[in-house]
Amino acid sequence: MLKLFNTLSRQLEEFVPLEAGKVRMYICGPTVWNFAHIGNFRTFIFGDILRRYLKYKGFEMTHVFNLTDIDDRIINEAAKRNISIGEFTAPYIEYFWEDFDALGNERPEVTPRATEHIAEMIDIIAKLIENGRAYESDGSIYYRIAAFPEYGKLSKISFEGNIAGASERVDTDKYEKEDARDFALWKLVGADEEPGWDAPFGRGRPGWHIECSAMSMKYLGETFDLHAGGMDLQFPHHENEIAQSEGATGKLFSKYWVHSEFLKIDDVTMSKSKGNFFTFRDLREQGYSPLAIRYLLLSVPYRKQLNFTFEGLKAAESTTERLRNFRQLVREARIPEAPADTRAIDAVSAAMKAFEAAMDDDLNTAAALAAVHDMVREVNTILAADGLTTEGKAAALEAIEKIDSVLGIFGKEDCGLLDEEIDALIAERQEARRRRNFARSDEIRDELAAKGIIIEDTKDGMRWRRK
Ligand code: AMP
Ligand code: ZN
């Protein structure tokens, strides 16, 4: 039974989706104005593991992960270069997915972009104006927090004494708000100013928070199961999403809220604005593998802070190498002519139980990894002493595959062949077929298949790809 720490209740809760067997989940994605740093990726890898463990538990997923492709930074950077915001964000969107894929993350089912959902945002704002939870001031539209008494239920921040008209107003915005806490839903934009969209309440552009309310409810419905993101999004972003969505629909927005902690460096939160960050590409250029970076980022449970160090990354590098070697050893293990022996099967099934218990416990990845290492150690001992039985070998390989469907730390199979070597074998196979030496042709096909190379006969000749 999976338990997750729900920020709404501040308690570990059993995860029970609204509809049996299905999970509808939303995770806030990146703002595509620059390269994502590995702090961002700690949060996205946490989201990936949450997704994959839910799949492992048998749930069918609808996972929405948005791209914020409009905000002040994007607008400013595009204006500086004299290009449209779409032209400015396009390469960053491409880089983002390249890094996301290279880090072994699974693509979510729906990956909407804010600028393609303006109409949905306008609809929600219109509803909020209609029911008195939004108002116009100097052409912009603001959320009226005083009209949503539950405001603060997620972040538990107390707003007593910080109410409309108070003399200590901390308003830094250039427009007049009724209450310092009120936030912009729609920002006034001049007639020739870009980017801007026409709305019944005037030409403008959306505030940040409304994007996520619109994109989540469009693809998941007004009420869905799970909403996640980094710790810093709890307030105000997620608090405001709740106010907008529940304020418009009158229904519960998300049943569970899950937030992941920061990646730090020298005990300071890694961030673009502080300049104390590494991107995935920085670390790749220094020769670190995507697998080691992933391993490091998931090695500490998501609710604990993680301090990035190069020693930690180097350790992750040798650990992932050891894991891959282990898989290769098991794969190549010869079956001894020995009596039945269930030691490996027992070790594997104990490890799988421990793995699941750890992941069920609020995705305790550190304990899950400990179970993996226990299994590796025990199976290695058996391998070195008596060898694995057929059943033991099959159980170990199946366990590796199951663990990796969640963690992705063993990575894709390395067939040990270079592209040129595969090309040469395929040329030899074609030649063998031409000479009607089908035995050799089949042998080559089987050898390649065993190494995960799939050969396809197409009208343009033979093609191959790695599994
Ligand atoms: P952004 O692209 O700024 O919208 O951020 C994308 C995600 O990265 C958000 O969910 C943030 O909470 C998260 N994030 C930002 N900095 C860090 C960090 N140092 N560690 C972990 N997550 C972070
Ligand atoms: Zn969001």
Side-chain angles (χ1 to χ4, degrees):
M1 174 214 303
L2 170 61
K3 286 190 173 168
L4 291 173
F5 185 84
N6 189 351
T7 310
L8 259 185
S9 65
R10 294 288 194 278
Q11 273 175 2
L12 265 188
E13 287 181 27
E14 183 185 340
F15 178 75
V16 184
L18 297 158
E19 191 182 337
K22 293 195 172 154
V23 176
R24 285 173 289 151
M25 167 167 103
Y26 187 88
I27 298 186
C28 294
T31 308
V32 283
W33 73 291
N34 210 318
F35 294 99
H37 58 66
I38 55 167
N40 303 133
F41 276 113
R42 181 187 187 200
T43 294
F44 300 143
I45 289 172
F46 144 73
D48 181 58
I49 285 173
L50 172 58
R51 162 199 174 77
R52 285 158 71 158
Y53 194 58
L54 288 164
K55 280 175 69 180
Y56 180 97
K57 301 289 278 182
F59 295 112
E60 188 188 308
M61 296 298 296
T62 309
H63 171 187
V64 183
F65 180 79
N66 73 291
L67 300 180
T68 295
D69 62 350
I70 174 170
D71 83 338
D72 288 346
R73 291 168 299 187
I74 291 173
I75 294 169
N76 292 339
E77 294 297 320
K80 263 194 235 162
R81 293 166 178 75
N82 211 10
I83 53 177
S84 70
I85 58 166
E87 284 166 324
F88 174 70
T89 56
Y92 291 112
I93 292 175
E94 216 166 288
Y95 301 142
F96 176 75
W97 288 123
E98 275 176 28
D99 294 358
F100 185 91
D101 293 343
L103 279 163
N105 297 300
E106 240 176 53
R107 293 268 185 124
E109 281 70 30
V110 195
T111 54
R113 290 167 58 165
T115 51
E116 289 166 1
H117 295 79
I118 305 288
E120 288 81 355
M121 300 179 207
I122 291 175
D123 279 352
I124 299 174
I125 298 170
K127 269 191 201 142
L128 291 170
I129 294 174
E130 206 181 290
N131 73 18
R133 290 200 164 104
Y135 60 93
E136 189 257 17
S137 175
D138 286 339
S140 288
I141 310 289
Y142 295 94
Y143 192 91
R144 180 179 282 125
I145 287 181
F148 187 71
E150 287 180 276
Y151 194 79
K153 72 175 174 179
L154 181 73
S155 55
K156 318 288 185 222
I157 293 174
S158 163
F159 295 95
E160 306 257 324
N162 186 11
I163 303 297
S167 55
E168 76 267 26
R169 186 180 278 195
V170 272
D171 192 352
T172 54
D173 211 294
K174 58 181 169 170
Y175 305 119
E176 277 298 296
K177 296 189 275 186
E178 292 176 3
D179 181 328
R181 299 172 302 164
D182 290 352
F183 58 92
L185 295 165
W186 192 252
K187 301 178 182 177
L188 175 72
V189 162
D192 334 303
E193 229 183 296
E194 289 295 341
W197 288 266
D198 289 324
F201 33 81
R203 182 178 158 80
R205 60 184 171 87
W208 170 36
H209 315 297
I210 194 69
E211 299 176 5
C212 286
S213 284
M215 290 184 273
S216 57
M217 292 198 289
K218 170 161 185 183
Y219 297 103
L220 301 172
E222 291 176 339
T223 302
F224 53 90
D225 299 299
L226 217 170
H227 196 312
M231 207 62 175
D232 55 329
L233 300 187
Q234 253 179 47
F235 183 82
H237 186 50
H238 289 163
E239 195 71 64
N240 290 353
E241 276 189 50
I242 292 177
Q244 295 162 159
S245 307
E246 299 189 1
T249 67
K251 295 179 191 156
L252 176 75
F253 179 46
S254 174
K255 189 174 173 190
Y256 301 89
W257 287 84
V258 185
H259 292 98
S260 65
E261 260 296 352
F262 283 132
L263 180 70
K264 298 195 146 191
I265 181 159
D266 298 325
D267 290 313
V268 178
T269 299
M270 188 176 281
S271 81
K272 279 269 156 53
S273 57
K274 293 197 191 84
N276 61 344
F277 64 90
F278 291 105
T279 65
F280 170 66
R281 284 154 198 257
D282 295 334
L283 299 179
R284 287 293 287 140
E285 271 168 29
Q286 295 188 37
Y288 295 100
S289 69
L291 220 49
I293 300 168
R294 181 178 176 90
Y295 185 97
L296 178 70
L297 294 177
L298 64 77
S299 60
V300 169
Y302 76 92
R303 282 203 296 130
K304 289 208 169 94
Q305 294 185 343
L306 164 58
N307 197 40
F308 174 84
T309 61
F310 279 98
E311 292 75 61
L313 185 54
K314 281 177 194 140
E317 197 72 66
S318 53
T319 306
T320 46
E321 216 175 291
R322 207 164 51 238
L323 290 175
R324 286 173 74 78
N325 287 340
F326 170 73
R327 178 173 60 188
Q328 197 55 31
L329 262 181
V330 175
R331 210 173 267 305
E332 288 166 2
R334 301 243 312 274
I335 310 300
E337 288 174 32
D341 170 4
T342 63
R343 279 177 307 159
I345 296 176
D346 296 343
V348 166
S349 80
M352 286 311 290
K353 253 199 203 135
F355 171 79
E356 280 181 31
M359 293 302 287
D360 276 349
D361 179 19
D362 199 23
L363 308 179
N364 186 342
T365 45
L369 289 175
V372 176
H373 293 303
D374 282 348
M375 174 180 83
V376 170
R377 201 172 37 250
E378 290 187 39
V379 173
N380 261 333
T381 310
I382 299 166
L383 262 171
D386 312 309
L388 283 175
T389 60
T390 312
E391 294 78 16
K393 175 172 172 166
L397 288 175
E398 192 194 332
I400 292 171
E401 205 168 298
K402 281 179 91 173
I403 288 163
D404 235 34
S405 73
V406 179
L407 299 182
I409 49 170
F410 286 86
K412 286 216 177 73
E413 207 80 54
D414 178 3
C415 73
L417 288 177
L418 299 172
D419 287 7
E420 304 86 81
E421 292 170 325
I422 299 170
D423 288 339
L425 276 168
I426 287 186
E428 189 191 337
R429 178 165 183 249
Q430 268 166 323
E431 180 59 19
R433 289 226 287 199
R434 205 180 54 76
R435 294 207 189 130
R436 307 188 67 75
N437 182 354
F438 296 113
R440 178 65 187 143
S441 155
D442 288 352
E443 199 177 271
I444 294 173
R445 184 201 55 210
D446 293 346
E447 182 188 340
L448 288 172
K451 293 189 162 161
I453 306 296
I454 295 161
I455 304 177
E456 284 156 351
D457 282 309
T458 72
K459 62 175 174 32
D460 304 321
M462 224 175 265
R463 291 249 177 83
W464 64 268
R465 61 185 166 86
R466 292 174 202 270
K467 199 158 62 177

